[in-house]
Each structure stands twice: as C-alpha cells, then as structure tokens.
Amino acid sequence: MSGAKVDKQWATKGIDTYSTDAIVGTLAHYGVLLDEPGFVLLAKSHYPLDLAQAWHRSWKGTGQFAHFPAAAAEELWRRWCPGQIAPTDVALALVNLIRSAGSLLDNTPDGFLDARLRVVEAYLPSLPDGEAQTRFLAEVFFALGPDLSDELESLATELARAKHDALADRLAAIEEALVPVRAGLARVAVLAARGQREEALGQLKAFANPLPEDRYRRFAIVSELKRLEAFDDVAPLLVRVLEAAQAADDRALGADLVDVLAVLAEEDPGSRNRPELKHVARELEAWLLPPKA
C-alpha cells in the first residue's frame, strides 16, 4: 500500500476524484483493512450500505470522515465490481423517474419520462434473487428515503387518474418488481383509479383466497381492501394478519395493525362494533402495551 489518503475536502471534491490507493489507505487509517480480493468476496453476499454498516462498528473517523465508509463502499463497488448494479444506481434512476412523472402530472412535462422509464425497466432483469434481492431492495429504498418511496407508490394510480393509462401500467409493473409483496396489487390499485372498482375488488379477493403464507403479503392485501373501502372484507382478514404477526412476534407489523384500526374507525365508524375488530383491538392491546404496574 502506498500510504496515500484522501484529504478533508473529499466530500466537496467527490470521492470519485481520488485514487483507489487513497480510498483504501483512508479506510486503513481509520481501522478498516481491505484489499480488492477481500472486497469482491464480501460483495458476493453484501451490498455497499451493508458493508459500510459493518465497517462503522470499528470506525475511528470523526468530522469530515465520520461518514466516509458509505461513500467508500459505493465507490469501491463501482471500481472493483464492474458490471454489477448497486442499489444506489437503481435509487438514482427512480429519483429521476419520479421527477419526470411529477412534471407530467403538473402539466409541465420535461420530455424525459419515457427514457427514464426505460432506464429503470432495464435494471429490473438484473435484480438478484431470493434473500439477496431482499437486501438489495432494502438498500434501494433506504437510499430513496421514505418520502420518495411513498411518492413512487402513488405514481401509478395518479397517472391512471390523469388518463395516462400506458404509463400507469408501466409504473405499476415497476412497483411490483421492486416491492414483490405487492405483486398484482399495484395493478389492482390502477384498476380502481380508473373507476373499475368491482373488477379491482374481485382480483383482490382472489389474492386473499387462499390466504397467502407471507404475513406482509396479507397486510398488503388488507391495505388495498381498506383503500377500496371494502370494510366487510377487511375485518376477517385483519384477524389472520394479527395471528401471523403474533406467531412471528412481529411487533412492527402489530403497530401497523394499530394504524389500520385507527383508520377504519375514522372512515367507517360502525366498524368498531364488529366482533372481529374488537378481538383484534383487545389482542393488540394485550400484546403490545406493557402490563400496568
């Protein structure tokens, strides 16, 4: 190793302007020893954010170097894993897509929407499979942030309402590829946005019968039923989602169910008298709230 390191202006200049030796030397200076073969081996099962989080456990850098591992992991991925897409590549393409779709909905089209759709669509076949896909997509949405993630979820339905049907279908397909638990559900939402509520509801009921094993898939179906105001169908399914959440001791999903109950009570006041929802409310209170002293 040459002993080279990046300087304090690295964030302003851009980490891509420094040599690989300088990046690796800076990592070593602050406690992370790394070489190309070791990085490539790690990259077979970890993505840049995951690597950076692991490096942070022993990281000694402060000030301008407090967040250096994330930038270093991204840059080394590009240099040492050529041809492999990084989650931030997809996230950046989605940011551009969201901006272009937003400009169309604001009646100020920038002219780039089709090109940006094609960029994102070209990434989809390269997404990893299985558990690797879960980690990859988690980093995509972390990079995207909660606000843009929510905006992405609503784009297909907004385009459908604005009569941009072909674009809405393409956005729905992208959403379902990036959020596998919503497979088919984004297209259901688009149908409803076009005014085809009964067809959307029929497809949604088909997804719930038989009930999927994945508890998040169950919750996604509940969310769509709620969006369609199919309150009679929500209550019994909510019981099954609760049972799955309790079996896995998934308290985050339990907290989401609390939110669903609150929305149901507001949008359908009579629903709070339904036996199933009373049962869910009692079970959630007993499960999630600490016992009284």
Side-chain angles (χ1 to χ4, degrees), residues 185-281:
L185 300 182
R187 279 169 282 187
V188 163
V190 164
L191 280 176
R194 289 175 179 152
Q196 298 170 260
R197 182 182 183 279
E198 291 308 312
E199 184 177 349
L201 186 55
Q203 290 190 19
L204 200 49
K205 287 180 179 179
F207 288 134
N209 186 24
L211 193 67
E213 290 293 328
D214 188 311
R215 59 189 184 276
Y216 294 106
R217 174 71 170 173
R218 295 181 187 186
F219 184 75
I221 293 171
V222 165
S223 298
E224 284 305 320
L225 287 168
K226 178 173 63 67
R227 196 199 308 257
L228 291 177
E229 298 185 354
F231 299 119
D232 288 343
D233 299 289
V234 171
L237 185 54
L238 209 56
V239 175
R240 299 184 184 183
V241 175
L242 170 66
E243 291 169 351
Q246 287 179 309
D249 196 28
D250 188 339
R251 292 171 181 264
L253 182 54
D256 287 338
L257 293 177
V258 172
D259 293 338
V260 170
L261 284 177
V263 172
L264 286 177
E266 180 179 347
E267 296 181 357
D268 183 30
S271 69
R272 63 177 81 225
N273 295 320
R274 295 194 58 134
E276 299 102 321
L277 297 183
K278 285 184 175 181
H279 167 74
V280 172

Side-chain angles (χ1 to χ4, degrees), residues 3-184:
K5 293 189 287 292
V6 308
D7 55 41
K8 292 182 178 181
Q9 284 73 47
W10 71 269
T12 302
K13 294 179 180 178
I15 195 170
D16 59 309
T17 64
Y18 294 86
S19 70
T20 300
D21 281 349
I23 295 170
V24 173
T26 303
L27 288 170
H29 179 75
Y30 290 111
V32 175
L33 300 179
L34 188 71
D35 60 16
E36 182 174 352
F39 183 93
V40 171
L41 182 63
L42 286 171
K44 293 183 183 298
S45 55
H46 300 277
Y47 295 103
L49 179 60
D50 195 21
L51 292 171
Q53 288 174 333
W55 296 346
H56 265 295
R57 296 187 191 115
S58 60
W59 189 247
K60 299 179 177 63
T62 59
Q64 295 95 327
F65 292 97
H67 303 293
F68 184 78
E74 288 285 348
E75 187 61 25
L76 291 177
W77 180 283
R78 298 184 196 289
R79 298 184 188 192
W80 285 345
C81 301
Q84 294 188 45
I85 60 170
T88 47
D89 295 330
V90 178
L92 179 58
L94 288 170
V95 169
N96 290 332
L97 173 58
I98 291 167
R99 287 174 179 164
S100 287
S103 72
L104 176 64
L105 291 167
D106 291 338
N107 295 315
T108 57
D110 62 10
F112 301 126
L113 180 54
D114 183 69
R116 286 172 171 166
L117 276 164
R118 283 188 277 108
V119 169
V120 175
E121 289 165 342
Y123 278 132
L124 301 183
S126 300
L127 294 179
D129 298 321
E131 180 58 32
Q133 182 185 85
T134 300
R135 294 195 306 273
F136 185 97
L137 294 176
E139 292 201 14
V140 169
F141 284 100
F142 180 86
L144 205 56
D147 291 341
L148 287 177
S149 296
D150 290 344
E151 196 170 337
L152 177 65
E153 184 178 343
S154 67
L155 273 182
T157 54
E158 289 180 27
L159 287 166
R161 290 190 191 99
K163 309 301 183 186
H164 298 293
D165 289 337
L167 293 174
D169 289 338
R170 291 172 73 182
L171 257 299
I174 287 171
E175 181 187 341
E176 291 178 6
L178 296 175
V179 189
V181 75
R182 283 185 52 76

